Amino acid sequence: MTNIIDGKIVAENVVETVKRFTAELTGNHGVQPGLAVVIVGEDPASQVYVSSKSKKAKECGFLSVQHTLPADTSEADLLKLIGELNADKTIHGILVQLPLPGHIDSGKIIQAIAPEKDVDGFSFINVGKLGTGEVDSAFVPCTPAGSMLLIERVRGKDLSGLNAVVVGRSNIVGKPMANLLLAANCTVTIAHSRTKDLPALARTADILVAAVGRPEMIKGDWVKPGATVIDVGINRIPAPEKGEGKSRLVGDVDFAGASQAAGAITPVPGGVGPMTIAMLMANTLVSASRSAGVEPPAF
Ligand SMILES: NC(=O)c1ccc[n+]([C@@H]2O[C@H](COP(=O)([O-])OP(=O)(O)OC[C@H]3O[C@@H](n4cnc5c(N)ncnc54)[C@H](OP(=O)(O)O)[C@@H]3O)[C@@H](O)[C@H]2O)c1
């Protein structure tokens, strides 16, 4: 029987820990974690993400601040706001919702965030820490950090001797995921659009992570029997069976086929998705704990 990994439950556990430690940090040390979320423009999907992050932050007992700026905000004004948030002692995490409008250099904005408040883990300092194995002091990007927690629930923390294949090499998911697996002693291969014979490579994986953005690309017969399959992909496809103009979400893995072979697999939705926001809360709590000189909880 395949173990279907319930990301909602694991995410709830993370959020419960965050709430408990937040109450302690606020009550005993007088430090309330503060998360500032910045959004520029009116992209509807981004608005939804931002409001759910702000809502979850409030639910955790954080100070939750949202800056909604017009689409024509200049790069200089956005940099000024980042500078103010960097200096604000009540703010421990700064998140700039991507994508930014075309006239703003996203890289410049991300690198302007103070590394100790970079709870998305995109600054060069945090990327470098993760890349050099300084995982404990780095902020790790939330989606791979959450995926790693799901893998640990199935396989434990030490993944020595296991082969991992990560399909996708983005800076947000694929590369940090590969670094996390390497730090946990996996033998890691990163695959991408130029990889030859991906099905054969995927079949070598004890842990297979799909972060591609192509609906159901990874087929059941690409999965090694007993493998742990983590599907990061979120793809909306037409679902005429639900009615005209309706759609549904699927991952990058053909769930029905892959779950025949996999030992454990994440569904979409309900797998990696809920972990991302939970890990954002965890990173913000860790940042606030560090600023108070208090040992943060382990997740
Ligand atoms: N669950 C969450 O919270 C969450 C968070 C972030 C992202 N996502 C989802 O995860 C997926 C990946 O996101 P991303 O930001 O990493 O995407 P991305 O930046 O577009 O990267 C996609 C990667 O997939 C590779 N790729 C594309 N076609 C391929 C093929 N035919 N065979 C092998 N590799 C191929 C690309 O290779 P090249 O580098 O060679 O082009 C690239 O490295 C998306 O569905 C996204 O919506 C989910």
Side-chain angles (χ1 to χ4, degrees):
M1 261 292 272
T2 307
N3 168 11
I4 297 176
I5 305 167
D6 191 334
K8 282 182 286 192
I9 290 182
V10 183
E12 270 166 28
N13 290 342
V14 169
V15 169
E16 283 314 311
T17 304
V18 170
K19 283 182 186 169
R20 211 172 50 246
F21 273 80
T22 296
E24 211 175 292
L25 195 62
T26 309
N28 299 346
H29 301 274
V31 176
Q32 182 189 23
L35 175 66
V37 182
V38 181
I39 179 167
V40 184
E42 266 148 31
D43 176 58
S46 295
Q47 299 271 1
V48 172
Y49 292 140
V50 161
S51 68
S52 60
K53 286 167 187 172
S54 299
K55 199 170 139 217
K56 188 64 83 182
K58 280 191 197 119
E59 189 190 316
C60 288
F62 293 1
L63 167 71
S64 172
V65 181
Q66 191 175 319
H67 292 267
T68 306
L69 308 179
D72 61 356
T73 300
S74 69
E75 189 177 282
D77 283 348
L78 185 53
L79 284 169
K80 187 165 166 281
L81 173 62
I82 301 293
E84 286 163 9
L85 293 171
N86 283 342
D88 185 338
K89 290 206 171 357
T90 67
I91 296 299
H92 304 96
I94 303 169
L95 180 145
V96 177
Q97 186 64 42
L98 301 176
L100 289 168
H103 66 279
I104 298 177
D105 179 348
S106 304
K108 207 166 166 184
I109 301 298
I110 287 165
Q111 299 310 326
I113 298 172
E116 66 277 13
K117 297 189 180 188
D118 166 37
V119 285
D120 254 341
F122 297 157
S123 75
F124 293 146
I125 296 277
N126 285 312
V127 173
K129 282 186 175 183
L130 177 58
T132 51
E134 294 287 325
V135 181
D136 290 344
S137 71
F139 283 119
V140 177
C142 300
T143 301
S147 301
M148 198 62 198
L149 268 195
L150 298 180
I151 293 168
E152 285 174 5
R153 295 289 160 118
V154 179
R155 297 274 191 173
K157 276 191 187 289
D158 185 1
L159 306 177
S160 295
L162 298 178
N163 288 335
V165 173
V166 179
V167 191
R169 57 173 160 179
S170 71
N171 291 331
I172 294 173
V173 188
K175 283 181 198 152
M177 187 73 239
N179 272 325
L180 284 171
L181 289 161
L182 192 59
N185 299 324
C186 277
T187 302
V188 184
T189 310
I190 305 179
H192 46 76
S193 67
R194 312 294 175 92
T195 298
K196 270 193 192 162
D197 200 355
L198 184 57
L201 178 64
R203 277 183 215 113
T204 66
D206 302 300
I207 297 171
L208 179 61
V209 181
V212 184
R214 289 180 181 259
E216 300 176 323
M217 185 189 90
I218 293 182
K219 304 299 176 203
D221 64 354
W222 299 18
V223 175
K224 180 177 174 178
T228 301
V229 179
I230 303 293
D231 191 351
V232 181
I234 301 177
N235 309 287
R236 192 164 280 287
I237 61 165
E241 72 280 3
K242 286 166 72 179
E244 205 187 310
K246 297 280 185 197
S247 63
R248 65 189 174 98
L249 290 181
V250 296
D252 291 341
V253 177
D254 165 22
F255 183 83
S259 49
Q260 302 292 317
I265 185 167
T266 58
V268 177
V272 174
M275 293 302 293
T276 298
I277 199 159
M279 297 316 289
L280 175 66
M281 301 303 129
N283 280 353
T284 305
L285 173 67
V286 168
S287 175
S289 302
R290 285 178 187 159
S291 83
V294 173
E295 185 68 29
F299 290 97

